[in-house]
Amino acid sequence: MRTSLVLALLPAISAFQLPFKLPFFNNHSGQQLLQPANTTPRVAIIGAGAGGASAAFWISKAKERFGLDIEVDVYEKEPYIGGRSTVVFPYGNTSLPAVELGASIFVKANKNMWRAVDEFNLTRRDFRDEKGMGIWDGEKLLFTASGGWWTWWDNAKALFRYGFHSPRRTQVFVDNMINKFLTLYSPDAPKWDNITHLSTTLGWTDLVSQSTSEYLRSEGVSDRFISELVEASTRVNYGQNADEIHALEGACSLAPTGASAVEGGNFQVFEQFVKRSHANVYLNTSVKSIRQTGSDRWLVDSDRGSESYSAIILAAPYHSTNIEVPSEVSSRIPPQPYVHLHVTLVATTQPSLPPQSLSLSASTKVPAMLLTTFEGARNGGKEPEFNSLSYHGLISEGEWVVKIFSKKRISNKWLSKMFDGQVGWVLRKEWDAYPVLPPSTSFPDVKLQPHFYYVNAFEPFISTMETETLASRNVVDILLKETFGGSGICGPEGTPLNDTAKEDYVFGWDC
Ligand SMILES: Cc1cc2nc3c(=O)[nH]c(=O)nc-3n(C[C@H](O)[C@H](O)[C@H](O)COP(=O)(O)OP(=O)(O)OC[C@H]3O[C@@H](n4cnc5c(N)ncnc54)[C@H](O)[C@@H]3O)c2cc1C
Ligand SMILES: *[C@@H]1O[C@H](CO)[C@@H](O)[C@H](O)[C@H]1NC(C)=O
Ligand SMILES: *[C@@H]1O[C@H](CO)[C@@H](O)[C@H](O)[C@H]1NC(C)=O
Ligand SMILES: *[C@@H]1O[C@H](CO)[C@@H](O)[C@H](O)[C@H]1NC(C)=O
Ligand SMILES: *[C@@H]1O[C@H](CO)[C@@H](O)[C@H](O)[C@H]1NC(C)=O
Ligand SMILES: *[C@@H]1O[C@H](CO)[C@@H](O)[C@H](O)[C@H]1NC(C)=O
Ligand SMILES: *[C@@H]1O[C@H](CO)[C@@H](O)[C@H](O)[C@H]1NC(C)=O
């Protein structure tokens, strides 16, 4: 009885919980029992950012749980793990504090990021700016708060300028979104083949089909509040105005409660995902084309030659990858413009922006974090040259690093004018940072072809590090079912293996 022999060798897993077809089991000492040694199924992951790194990790979790035998190859064209989550050092000096060049914050509701930091012994630090926040319209400072961006909700000045109802109603809107979002971590978390389906399941059709301005206005939030505090948030987080971006992503921009970052860089979470997955990682290795050579056979051509796989996980924005794929695949990926963002990092000995650089009176104290609104430009004024300009702490005694996000290149001349000549190191980086996110009711497919999955289909819905880890969890769940005939990442539906801590339960980690 081969079956019972296999089961006897897997004492930790009862027959009820055994979710996979037997040929994929080994005996936990590395030797396959029912399968010739050279046919270990292989999965290719393209991209080692938040999405690809976590995909490798989710597969390894399933391998651990179910004794599944799968070999995973991760291809990454850059020489580092993290993708849009990466750090640089002022003056290129690694003794100085690392500065995030891409994704910088996550929040407590981001349970995968939060959990990973704890499990991997990384250090979380509060992302607070106690030195104040201001909203700049290109000509005037419309609003300032001394307590920093994250504390403005109950600031007396905010109440005075915006009244009681607008901040409250906005808060309710954000809280409702977060409560729904948290169901994605529950034991019966939704699964989806396409993002439209997920949007419907979560009851978010109303949010994604309207702009942030439209939606909030219909909830009774004032125009002033929308064009100032709300737009400041959508512009700093997504480089888009409140009347351009859909209300779901608008709500995400407004949800900074518990904003945190990993000491030394968020990329470390993704490095750990990959390391702990024991996947093969090919850095500096660009994938050139993917061809289908059988019903469940895909051939990946890269700098390291051609390799054959049972399944493909594409974890990069397709249009930026330059990968040639069959037309049956490409035709299922709608065009997706991204916001082209200029990030400029500056080291300066100016402890804050000199007021004269914004033509403000000499007594004005310019806040450490300057956010912007398009409202001035809407009314015929000029648009601010930057989306945001913020002080990010000390580099060393008497020198600060400032991060500027803008739509256009920031010139040396402009920097010199702004910081009154006190400019040390300057670093410029251009990103295709996040999708352009207009209101929409139709979102992309996750399954592009049998055994070919697309993590970044999630991005036009929400684009964050966390949601990419959720998108990859969903993809891995489908892949385990469809390619390996199992019952998904957590075994049979609705049967978490560990329900001791329902409150802190995180689907994918605790099952
Ligand atoms: C400036 C900036 C600020 C941001 N701020 C935040 C924030 O505060 N919080 C937050 O959560 N999110 C933020 N984001 C968004 C966040 O970075 C992304 O949503 C998330 O990191 C995307 O992860 P990903 O793995 O899907 O894609 P990516 O990180 O883009 O990873 C894709 C990887 O695929 C690789 N690749 C591409 N083509 C190929 C190929 N042909 N062969 C092999 N490899 C290939 C790329 O090199 C890349 O490493 C920010 C983004 C930017 C740019
Ligand atoms: C399991 O694998 C180990 C080595 O990989 C081998 O020595 C052992 O005999 C195998 N067990 C069974 C029951 O096949
Ligand atoms: C990546 O390639 C560059 C240039 O070819 C090389 O200098 C670097 O060492 C490589 N890095 C890795 C991690 O392979
Ligand atoms: C790097 O920074 C450290 C800490 O401030 C400093 O002691 C060192 O001299 C710097 N190295 C270089 C090459 O500037
Ligand atoms: C994390 O740190 C704790 C205490 O320092 C240690 O006991 C634990 O083994 C570490 N865990 C990992 C996964 O490194
Ligand atoms: C989206 O996925 C759902 C199931 O998740 C399916 O019923 C529906 O037909 C899909 N829609 C499209 C347009 O593929
Ligand atoms: C169940 O989860 C809790 C909290 O997440 C954890 O402390 C505990 O060790 C887990 N138990 C088992 C048996 O894995």
Side-chain angles (χ1 to χ4, degrees):
M1 282 271 297
R2 288 161 71 123
T3 305
S4 55
L5 172 64
V6 174
L7 294 181
L9 288 165
L10 296 167
I13 301 173
S14 74
F16 171 69
Q17 288 162 337
L18 193 69
F20 290 97
K21 280 181 191 160
L22 293 174
F24 294 106
F25 282 89
N26 64 29
N27 80 355
H28 283 280
S29 326
Q31 184 168 315
Q32 278 119 45
L33 293 173
L34 303 174
Q35 205 186 320
N38 60 0
T39 60
T40 296
R42 302 168 75 207
V43 172
I45 297 176
I46 294 132
S54 57
F57 184 71
W58 297 126
I59 294 176
S60 73
K61 281 267 174 202
K63 285 169 70 170
E64 219 172 82
R65 276 179 205 128
F66 307 123
L68 190 63
D69 187 22
I70 304 174
E71 191 177 336
V72 176
D73 287 351
V74 180
Y75 291 85
E76 171 52 61
K77 77 171 178 204
E78 299 294 337
Y80 69 92
I81 287 171
R84 273 171 276 169
S85 177
T86 190
V87 297
V88 291
F89 296 91
Y91 299 99
N93 183 345
T94 51
S95 308
L96 298 174
V99 184
E100 295 284 2
L101 191 57
S104 51
I105 58 167
F106 54 93
V107 297
K108 192 151 193 205
N110 292 166
K111 289 192 168 198
N112 290 333
M113 292 296 292
W114 208 265
R115 180 68 172 261
V117 170
D118 292 339
E119 296 233 352
F120 305 161
N121 274 354
L122 298 169
T123 308
R124 217 172 8 242
R125 66 177 169 80
D126 273 7
F127 192 90
R128 280 179 189 283
D129 218 322
E130 303 296 356
K131 291 220 216 84
M133 172 285 274
I135 300 177
W136 174 244
D137 75 350
E139 281 158 23
K140 301 178 292 298
L141 261 182
L142 300 178
F143 175 74
T144 59
S146 56
W149 173 234
W150 319 119
T151 55
W152 60 265
W153 289 107
D154 30 31
N155 178 303
K157 245 170 150 181
L159 284 178
F160 183 74
R161 185 166 177 87
Y162 303 109
F164 175 77
H165 293 300
S166 290
R168 274 293 151 256
R169 286 169 185 157
T170 305
Q171 178 100 64
V172 168
F173 155 71
V174 173
D175 289 348
N176 287 343
M177 185 277 292
I178 290 175
N179 287 337
K180 269 285 166 53
F181 181 79
L182 289 174
T183 64
L184 291 169
Y185 303 96
S186 68
D188 49 1
K191 324 253 164 111
W192 57 93
D193 289 341
N194 52 66
I195 307 297
T196 310
H197 183 228
L198 176 64
S199 173
T200 312
T201 305
L202 293 173
W204 282 348
T205 311
D206 264 10
L207 296 188
V208 293
S209 62
Q210 298 178 67
S211 73
T212 305
S213 306
E214 260 178 305
Y215 188 90
L216 285 177
R217 213 172 278 134
S218 75
E219 293 289 306
V221 176
S222 75
D223 285 348
R224 173 182 271 185
F225 190 77
I226 294 169
S227 70
E228 296 183 9
L229 277 161
V230 174
E231 189 154 271
S233 316
T234 60
R235 285 171 65 88
V236 64
N237 284 304
Y238 291 107
Q240 292 159 75
N241 297 332
D243 56 3
E244 297 168 336
I245 192 168
H246 62 62
L248 174 61
E249 197 72 303
C252 293
S253 330
L254 285 159
T257 314
S260 297
V262 180
E263 192 72 57
N266 296 321
F267 74 93
Q268 294 166 98
V269 166
F270 310 123
E271 243 178 31
Q272 288 294 320
F273 275 151
V274 171
K275 184 171 163 228
R276 285 156 196 266
S277 77
H278 301 291
N280 307 311
V281 188
Y282 303 106
L283 295 180
N284 260 0
T285 309
S286 200
V287 171
K288 312 284 188 211
S289 78
I290 305 172
R291 279 174 290 153
Q292 187 158 21
T293 54
S295 64
D296 63 345
R297 286 279 99 195
W298 294 92
L299 199 67
V300 171
D301 271 322
S302 74
D303 296 341
R304 57 184 285 270
S306 288
E307 299 283 339
S308 180
Y309 296 94
S310 307
I312 304 288
I313 296 178
L314 179 56
Y318 165 70
H319 302 284
S320 72
T321 59
N322 290 316
I323 302 176
E324 210 178 292
V325 296
S327 60
E328 308 84 77
V329 172
S330 57
S331 64
R332 302 195 63 171
I333 310 174
Q336 180 56 65
Y338 271 66
V339 171
H340 192 76
L341 186 76
H342 292 252
V343 176
T344 309
L345 300 176
V346 180
T348 179
T349 49
Q350 294 284 0
S352 63
L353 211 56
Q356 65 270 21
S357 51
L358 297 174
S359 310
L360 296 170
S361 72
S363 63
T364 313
K365 173 92 179 67
V366 180
M369 178 180 262
L370 270 188
L371 305 177
T372 60
T373 165
F374 191 67
E375 194 57 11
R378 257 184 216 109
N379 297 321
K382 75 174 172 105
E383 185 174 3
E385 292 91 342
F386 51 88
N387 299 346
S388 62
L389 183 157
S390 39
Y391 272 69
H392 278 262
L394 277 173
I395 296 177
S396 56
E397 201 46 45
E399 192 170 24
W400 289 264
V401 66
V402 177
K403 188 187 279 188
I404 304 169
F405 286 177
S406 60
K407 291 180 178 159
K408 296 196 183 118
R409 186 177 192 277
I410 297 283
S411 68
N412 285 343
K413 195 170 150 218
W414 189 85
L415 289 176
S416 182
K417 186 186 119 209
M418 291 301 276
F419 295 97
D420 199 17
Q422 301 301 301
V423 176
W425 165 80
V426 177
L427 184 140
R428 292 185 177 82
K429 167 76 184 173
E430 292 174 42
W431 292 107
D432 280 325
Y434 8 71
V436 175
L437 297 151
S440 173
T441 47
S442 119
F443 289 93
D445 284 327
V446 170
K447 287 165 47 172
L448 301 178
Q449 281 295 302
H451 315 294
F452 193 127
Y453 308 98
Y454 185 34
V455 172
N456 297 68
F458 207 96
E459 276 199 80
F461 193 54
I462 307 178
S463 172
T464 63
M465 296 181 280
E466 177 72 11
T467 42
E468 289 303 284
T469 71
L470 286 167
S472 76
R473 189 196 72 195
N474 179 64
V475 156
V476 168
D477 190 67
I478 304 174
L479 175 142
L480 293 172
K481 289 177 194 159
E482 294 186 347
T483 308
F484 299 105
S487 46
I489 197 163
C490 278
E493 324 276 335
T495 20
L497 302 184
N498 177 356
D499 59 1
T500 52
K502 276 273 195 295
E503 192 70 358
D504 300 330
Y505 186 88
V506 186
F507 186 80
W509 293 85
D510 292 317
C511 49

